[in-house]
Amino acid sequence: MVKAAISRGTTPASPDPVRVLVVGGGYVGMYTALRLQRKLKAELKRGEVEIVMVTPDPYMTYQPFLPEAAAGSISPRHVVVPLRRVLDKCRIVIGEIRSVDHAKRTASFTTLATDEEGTGAVDIAYDEIVMAPGSIARTLPIPGLAEYAIGFKTVEEAIGLRNHVIEQMDIASSTRDPAVRDAALTFVFVGGGYAGVEALGELEDMARYASRYYHNVKAEDMKWILVEASGRILPEVGEEMGKYTVGELRRRNIDVRLETRLDSCEDRVAVLSDGARFPTRTVVWTAGVKPHPVLAASGLPLNERGRLKCTAQLTVEGTTHAWGAGDAAAVPDVTAPGKECAPNAQHAVRQAKVLGDNITAALREQPLQEYTHAYVGSVASLGLHKGVAHVYGRKLKGYPAWFMHRVYHLSRVPTINRKSRVLAEWTLSGLFKREIVSLGSLEHPRAEFELAAGGKRPKESS
């Protein structure tokens, strides 16, 4: 039985069944739980094992599709995967882990119910824990950043940004003040990685298309600025493809500024380290991520960057019954001694498969395997029918790269249901015109009722 494989020591967790606690419902959390659900099917049915996932959201976001969701090529509902439907043999708890006491093998978490009840955090015991909380946006103490910038890590931010861009075009179309018009049509993106470049490429493409429906807003009236602190963008696709991307963006009149930083965005003015100043109502921050803060409250060993120290077998270094992978984990790259696996989606999905297999093997007292990978390559979309790719040593650009981008991510998005819906939407978007409607009022669903009841309409926050 699985039970015999657990060495509990002097402080046992729950007596029965064996509980595997998964912290986080992102790539690693969902795919690991899905793998465990399949591999431990018999044990789950007999009640010998229980898989519990604690996650802030009831869905997993497939982040590579966020730029297309922002551009209107994919419905926001199809960018997310409902966890309760996919993980039907697991117990899903919508909440947040606040701390972990691995010596006692307990974790404290809060939910919406505990907030309503005012009871504070509650404890859950476990036998095995999978630390997969992911990452959060890495911000800097830049004046005005917290007040005016928007991130691009969640589906809510992607759709909010789409609505915001269209609203800025509406403002520019209706104002008589040249300064207001100029600020509304200036869009500053900070960060030259996948998130920043793809978001900028897709939204600029969408706004360019939308401008044909405005009588006094033209594509050339808009200013799109990409700010990157290093000397190159998209390092994952290689130097040559990175240079091509810079050239392609500049051919679209996008101002790419390398080796430049954002110094301030107070009072809706973006001030760059090269001295340039841009009055703007839009600053999008995509300048990297950092480990989730729950790791610091776990008591588990961390490296200098705050990520879990893990072995190639995805166990937490020097610790038993604790596992990690993805953005939260520093996993050694066995194909390049001395280096660590990059915290990206490609590694996360592959690590989750090995992680699920290793946890199953540990419960059954079988040997563990090391995580190793063969580099496949990288793909990036720069807008409709535009892209760059470096796949299996081959370099692609333009339409072939864009097509490769779609094929690759369609193959990776989980469930046949999601694949079918995304493919159907892509097909329909190729047959019909884009939707360019802003639904910004969704962010304030009670606004109309409050106005009718004598209140005031909420002001735009960004």
Side-chain angles (χ1 to χ4, degrees), residues 135-139 153 286-291 327 343:
S135 58
I136 62 174
R138 177 176 59 86
T139 59
K153 192 169 173 58
T286 65
V289 296
K290 63 181 180 181
D327 289 358

Side-chain angles (χ1 to χ4, degrees), residues 32 35 61 63 173 191 226 248 288 292 303 313 321 358 369 455:
T32 299
R35 189 75 173 177
T61 302
Q63 292 185 340
S173 176
L226 178 63
E248 171 64 20
H292 195 285
N303 69 2
Q313 296 174 329
H321 309 297
N358 278 353
Q369 60 178 307

Side-chain angles (χ1 to χ4, degrees), residues 357-379:
D357 290 346
N358 278 353
I359 294 173
T360 301
L363 295 179
R364 294 174 177 171
E365 295 185 306
Q366 297 171 351
L368 308 184
Q369 60 178 307
E370 289 188 340
Y371 171 71
T372 183
H373 71 285
Y375 179 70
V376 175
S378 300
V379 291

Side-chain angles (χ1 to χ4, degrees), residues 216-431:
N216 61 348
V217 175
K218 307 300 180 186
E220 53 269 24
D221 295 338
M222 293 181 276
K223 297 177 185 176
W224 297 84
I225 302 154
L226 178 63
V227 179
E228 167 56 40
S230 70
R232 58 189 293 193
I233 65 173
L234 292 181
E236 297 86 354
V237 299
E239 186 175 357
E240 181 183 340
M241 290 293 98
K243 289 180 178 179
Y244 166 81
T245 303
V246 171
E248 171 64 20
L249 295 177
R250 286 174 174 166
R251 278 190 290 274
R252 289 159 59 177
N253 291 322
I254 296 173
D255 185 355
V256 180
R257 296 183 176 237
L258 303 178
E259 298 182 340
T260 306
R261 300 179 307 278
L262 176 69
D263 284 346
S264 170
C265 57
E266 282 186 305
D267 302 322
R268 296 188 186 274
V269 177
V271 180
L272 308 184
S273 60
D274 61 4
R277 298 171 61 89
F278 297 98
T280 178
R281 297 171 59 86
T282 309
V283 174
V284 183
W285 181 265
T286 65
V289 296
K290 63 181 180 181
H292 195 285
V294 72
L295 296 179
S298 69
L300 296 171
L302 309 178
N303 69 2
E304 63 280 359
R305 295 184 179 180
R307 299 168 69 195
L308 282 175
K309 289 183 179 180
C310 290
T311 68
Q313 296 174 329
L314 304 180
T315 61
V316 176
E317 192 176 285
T319 307
T320 58
H321 309 297
W323 311 77
D327 289 358
V331 178
D333 187 346
V334 298
T335 65
K339 294 186 178 181
E340 297 174 352
C341 296
N344 57 33
Q346 187 178 135
H347 280 299
V349 174
R350 294 180 174 191
Q351 287 172 357
K353 179 180 178 181
V354 175
L355 182 52
D357 290 346
N358 278 353
I359 294 173
T360 301
L363 295 179
R364 294 174 177 171
E365 295 185 306
Q366 297 171 351
L368 308 184
Q369 60 178 307
E370 289 188 340
Y371 171 71
T372 183
H373 71 285
Y375 179 70
V376 175
S378 300
V379 291
S381 171
L382 303 178
L384 189 63
H385 301 161
K386 309 175 190 74
V388 291
H390 189 185
V391 182
Y392 291 116
R394 299 191 62 183
K395 299 172 184 177
L396 303 174
K397 59 185 72 171
Y399 184 89
W402 171 84
F403 183 76
M404 177 66 73
H405 175 272
R406 285 200 160 183
V407 169
Y408 174 77
H409 286 300
L410 185 65
S411 71
R412 295 299 173 184
V413 69
T415 79
I416 296 296
N417 180 300
R418 278 293 171 274
K419 295 179 194 292
S420 301
R421 290 177 182 271
V422 170
L423 183 59
E425 285 202 304
W426 280 343
T427 302
L428 291 173
S429 66
L431 297 175

Side-chain angles (χ1 to χ4, degrees), residues 5-27:
I6 302 292
S7 175
R8 299 180 184 276
T10 58
T11 54
S14 56
D16 190 45
V18 172
R19 178 176 291 159
V20 180
L21 176 62
V22 181
V23 179
Y27 288 111

